[in-house]
């Protein structure tokens, strides 16, 4: 959770969820395989996982083993998800044995094989465990179950996390950033979700997920609900695309820490969402995930936000709280988050005893990365409040998506331009644009831009900024037009191919304006370096 204030803009996702290549391109297909021995008490547990590229869903993946120099199919198989990933695990009875495995599938009429992986099966006595399924020992600070939360920031220059080292360091759960309101950040979240989730689980670490929310620039309750519903739909599609929730997955979390809905040019906040809007948005989002995924989601935030940006809500208090508060040492048994000098933060999770009813405490953003197998210098650290059984209870129930839950491909869209403003060359031409799905709900991904008429001769270089007001609603601001009459169209494009391209023709006139007076160049005064880890626990 590195961003406390983020400019609200809509990027275009450049990764993932594109349409699978046709069978004719099967020759270019590649199948990957990783084999890990996952900590287990009774018998060795092997986890196999990988991905097929180009991605194609529903293909059968078979595991083959080599015995006496001959390859043959084992009885284990699975199918690729919508994103081309696959995973299976099995208990094996042989111990102290060395064996080669490979994965196999068929694309069109061509058999595709992964590279060969050799693994030595270790007796379970060599693995430190206390839980019948996967060890969740309370070996963190204060005798608590220890966890991390990770995102693209833990992958500098694309480097991978060593989850086996992380497990050996005592980490038993990892909350992975899996989705984001903004399309560009969402694409990066998906990229590393596909890498980190199977690798962490194979190493014996439970995985949870979180969605970073940007709130809509509206106080209309109906519009707030529509936006929360659209962002919840993105989460449902994301979990559907990776095959659903398994017993190794913790619930999804809502990362709600930013209530800025409009920013100035210097990136400072120009407008904040009202308390009632923030509260209604969170209630709507969490309720939808509860109903759809069958697991009660978690809300992540920090005490001053819960107190200052939201109303107290009996509805919200029913959801588990993941609370961030640093500079408090969790090794001290009487320390806890949610308190301030002379009292407590008052919010939906404050008890009558003036204490926060938290489930997970993010106690530091300055964990020493190398200690936990993380290539970044820092990693967020968390502890779980409860017993191992309380922890396992969070994983109860699986959710396998129905076909209707999967993200659509090139779903029909409709566009409405509610307002158009064009005056003179000194001011931007702006359009207020809305794009909806067939059922009238807003689109979940994509952005809008102006496109010149193909017959236009004069096509000056334009600067276009699409500012998201809410899901499916943008204000498109364009500068660079010269004086004259202009024709073209406003076009909605979604490079994830979830929603189909649509456009509406527009015409407008721009007159010559007064040239702006150049502002004098002022050298910026260097800001003193700030130690972001000052007073934090560097564990």
């Amino acid at each position: 959770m590195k961003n406390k204030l983020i400019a609200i803009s809509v990027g275009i996702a450049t990764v993932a969820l594109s349409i699978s290549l046709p069978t004719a391109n099967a020759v270019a297909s590649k199948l990957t395989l990783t084999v890990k021995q996952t900590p287990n008490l009774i018998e060795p547990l092997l986890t196999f996982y990988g991905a097929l590229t180009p991605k194609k869903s529903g293909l059968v993946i078979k595991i083959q083993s080599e015995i006496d120099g001959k390859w043959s199919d084992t009885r284990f198989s699975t199918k690729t998800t919508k994103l081309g990933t696959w995973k299976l695990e099995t208990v094996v009875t042989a111990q102290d044995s060395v064996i080669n495995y490979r994965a196999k599938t068929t694309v069109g009429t061509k058999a595709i094989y992964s590279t060969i992986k050799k693994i030595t099966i270790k007796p379970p006595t060599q693995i430190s465990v206390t839980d019948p399924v996967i060890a969740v020992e309370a070996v963190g600070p204060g005798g608590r179950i220890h966890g991390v939360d990770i995102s693209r920031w833990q992958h500098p220059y694309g480097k991978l996390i060593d989850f086996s080292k992380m497990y050996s360091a005592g980490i038993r759960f990892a909350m992975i950033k899996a989705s984001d309101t903004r399309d560009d950040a969402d694409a990066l979240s998906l990229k590393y979700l596909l890498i980190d989730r199977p690798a962490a689980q194979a190493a014996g670490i439970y995985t949870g997920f979180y969605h970073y929310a940007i709130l809509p620039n509206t106080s209309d309750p109906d519009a707030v609900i529509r936006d929360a519903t659209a962002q919840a739909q993105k989460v449902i599609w994301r979990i559907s695309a990776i095959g659903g929730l398994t017993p190794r997955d913790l619930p999804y979390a809502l990362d709600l820490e930013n209530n800025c809905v409009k920013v100035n040019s210097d990136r400072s906040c120009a407008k904040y969402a009202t308390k009632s809007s923030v509260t209604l948005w969170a209630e709507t989002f969490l309720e939808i995930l509860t109903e759809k995924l069958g697991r009660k989601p978690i809300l992540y935030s920090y005490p001053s936000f819960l107190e200052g940006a939201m109303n107290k809500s009996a509805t919200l208090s029913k959801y588990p709280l993941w609370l961030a508060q640093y500079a408090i040492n969790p090794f001290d048994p009487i320390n806890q988050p949610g308190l301030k000098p002379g009292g407590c933060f008052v919010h939906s999770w404050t008890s009558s005893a003036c204490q926060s009813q938290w489930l997970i405490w993010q106690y530091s953003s300055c964990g020493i990365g190398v200690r936990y197998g993380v290539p970044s210098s820092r990693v967020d650290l968390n502890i779980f409040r409860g017993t191992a059984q309380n922890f396992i209870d969070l994983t109860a129930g699986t959710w396998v998506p129905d076909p209707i839950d999967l993200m659509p491909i090139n779903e029909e869209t409709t566009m409405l331009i509610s307002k158009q403003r064009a005056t003179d060359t000194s001011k931007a031409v702006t359009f207020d644009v809305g794009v909806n799905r067939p059922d009238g709900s807003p689109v979940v991904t994509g952005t809008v831009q102006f496109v010149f008429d193909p017959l236009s001769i004069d096509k000056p270089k334009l600067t276009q900024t699409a500012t998201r007001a809410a899901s499916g609603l943008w204000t498109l601001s364009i500068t660079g037009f010269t004086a004259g009459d202009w024709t073209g169209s406003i076009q909605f494009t979604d490079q994830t191919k979830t929603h189909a391209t649509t456009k509406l023709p527009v015409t407008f006139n721009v007159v010559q304006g007064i040239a702006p007076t150049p502002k004098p160049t002022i050298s910026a005064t260097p800001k003193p370096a700030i130690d972001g880890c000052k007073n934090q626990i560097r564990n």
Side-chain angles (χ1 to χ4, degrees):
M1 322 294 186
K2 304 300 179 188
N3 303 320
K4 298 299 181 186
L5 183 62
I6 298 180
I8 302 172
S9 62
V10 175
I12 298 177
T14 58
V15 181
L17 303 189
S18 58
I19 301 175
S20 301
L21 293 180
T23 304
N25 289 339
V27 67
S29 296
K30 180 180 179 181
L31 183 64
T32 63
L33 166 67
T34 299
V35 186
K36 291 282 188 180
Q37 182 170 352
T38 302
N40 193 48
L41 180 63
I42 301 173
E43 292 177 307
L45 181 69
L46 287 188
T47 300
F48 301 83
Y49 64 93
L52 175 70
T53 53
K55 52 186 169 286
K56 190 173 181 65
S57 64
L59 292 188
V60 175
I61 303 292
K62 295 181 179 180
I63 301 299
Q64 295 189 319
S65 60
E66 184 183 33
I67 299 177
D68 297 329
K70 295 182 180 180
W71 286 97
S72 60
D73 292 345
T74 67
R75 61 188 180 89
F76 297 102
S77 65
T78 186
K79 291 184 178 181
T80 56
T81 68
K82 186 178 178 67
L83 296 175
T85 59
W86 61 272
K87 175 176 173 285
L88 61 85
E89 55 189 33
T90 178
V91 171
V92 293
T93 56
Q95 298 182 13
D96 284 325
S97 60
V98 181
I99 190 168
N100 290 330
Y101 289 106
R102 70 183 183 186
K104 174 188 176 183
T105 192
T106 302
V107 180
T109 59
K110 184 177 178 61
I112 306 295
Y113 298 91
S114 71
T115 56
I116 299 170
K117 298 292 183 180
K118 177 185 290 186
I119 187 168
T120 301
I121 308 299
K122 300 177 182 178
T125 55
Q126 297 181 20
I127 305 172
S128 174
V129 294
T130 58
D131 184 84
V133 182
I134 284 192
V136 286
E137 306 100 318
V139 293
R144 300 288 191 182
I145 298 170
H146 209 192
V148 299
D149 57 272
I150 54 178
S151 67
R152 69 183 180 95
W153 300 109
Q154 277 63 59
H155 292 274
Y157 306 105
K159 295 180 180 179
L160 300 183
I161 297 172
D162 184 347
F163 286 101
S164 295
K165 184 175 182 180
M166 183 180 287
Y167 181 89
S168 298
I171 296 299
R172 294 298 177 263
F173 69 96
M175 302 298 289
I176 303 171
K177 183 177 180 182
S179 52
D180 193 296
T181 303
R182 302 154 298 170
D183 285 359
D184 50 354
D186 186 65
L188 286 170
S189 300
L190 176 58
K191 174 183 177 180
Y192 290 110
L193 169 66
L194 297 179
I195 294 170
D196 290 341
R197 183 202 190 203
Q201 292 185 0
I205 297 172
Y206 286 81
T207 56
F209 316 98
Y210 69 90
H211 173 82
Y212 187 89
I214 300 292
L215 299 175
N217 184 8
T218 178
S219 58
D220 174 35
D222 290 338
V224 169
I225 291 173
R226 284 196 299 270
D227 184 81
T229 302
Q231 292 198 44
Q233 182 64 70
K234 176 179 278 190
V235 169
I236 293 168
W237 281 343
R238 180 58 39 82
I239 291 298
S240 299
I242 61 175
L245 295 174
T246 75
R248 300 289 168 80
D249 290 319
L250 299 171
Y252 223 100
L254 167 61
D255 179 357
L256 188 57
E257 54 180 296
N258 178 14
N259 60 337
C260 182
V261 296
K262 186 178 181 180
V263 295
N264 295 309
S265 58
D266 63 357
R267 298 177 68 85
S268 62
C269 189
K271 180 181 178 183
Y272 292 95
T274 63
K275 286 178 136 185
S276 58
S277 294
V278 177
T279 306
L280 176 61
W281 195 100
E283 290 173 341
T284 303
F285 181 94
L286 295 170
E287 180 182 4
I288 291 172
L289 292 196
T290 301
E291 292 179 353
K292 190 63 182 179
L293 302 181
R295 296 186 186 184
K296 189 169 288 186
I298 300 168
L299 186 136
Y300 167 93
S301 197
Y302 53 96
S304 59
F305 186 92
L306 297 174
E307 180 183 69
M310 304 179 73
N311 292 325
K312 290 186 66 177
S313 165
T315 298
L316 288 180
S317 67
K318 298 176 183 178
Y319 296 99
L321 176 64
W322 177 9
L323 193 62
Q325 191 169 6
Y326 310 144
I328 305 173
N329 197 331
F331 287 94
D332 187 333
I334 64 173
N335 278 344
Q336 59 179 297
L339 299 177
K340 56 185 175 182
C344 61
F345 291 94
V346 179
H347 49 71
S348 300
W349 290 267
T350 304
S351 71
S352 58
C354 198
Q355 295 180 341
S356 293
Q357 300 303 297
W358 56 273
L359 181 72
I360 301 173
W361 174 13
Q362 186 186 77
Y363 68 89
S364 179
S365 67
C366 295
I368 302 170
V370 66
R371 180 176 293 175
Y372 301 99
V374 175
S376 63
S377 60
R378 294 166 54 177
V379 63
D380 294 343
L381 298 175
N382 305 269
I383 54 174
F384 176 81
R385 185 182 194 175
T387 65
Q389 188 58 55
N390 296 145
F391 183 90
I392 294 298
D393 288 345
L394 291 178
T395 69
T398 58
W399 182 71
V400 178
D402 292 324
I404 196 174
D405 298 316
L406 297 175
M407 182 175 283
I409 299 175
N410 278 336
E411 178 184 66
E412 182 182 351
T413 57
T414 56
M415 179 187 294
L416 173 66
I417 300 174
S418 59
K419 188 178 292 186
Q420 174 177 316
R421 297 174 292 275
T423 54
D424 59 55
T425 56
S426 67
K427 298 178 181 178
V429 177
T430 61
F431 300 88
D432 290 347
V433 185
V435 183
N436 289 333
R437 303 175 62 197
D439 62 2
S441 63
V443 292
V444 178
T445 54
T447 190
V448 293
Q449 63 179 336
F450 172 81
V451 178
F452 284 106
D453 187 301
L455 300 179
S456 297
I457 298 175
D458 186 14
K459 297 180 180 179
K461 184 178 180 180
L462 304 176
T463 299
Q464 304 194 46
T465 303
T467 302
R468 175 187 178 276
S471 294
L473 294 174
W474 295 270
T475 294
L476 178 61
S477 177
I478 314 167
T479 58
F481 286 110
T482 55
D485 294 320
W486 296 96
T487 61
S489 61
I490 303 300
Q491 179 171 293
F492 167 77
T493 306
D494 179 10
Q495 289 197 1
T496 72
K497 305 300 183 184
T498 302
H499 307 296
T501 299
T502 190
K503 59 184 178 181
L504 282 178
V506 292
T507 60
F508 53 93
N509 174 264
V510 177
V511 300
Q512 184 62 47
I514 300 174
T517 303
K519 296 182 180 179
T521 302
I522 301 176
S523 300
T525 303
K527 295 182 179 179
I530 298 176
D531 181 3
C533 288
K534 185 178 180 180
N535 299 325
Q536 285 208 44
I537 309 301
R538 307 190 191 207
N539 189 17

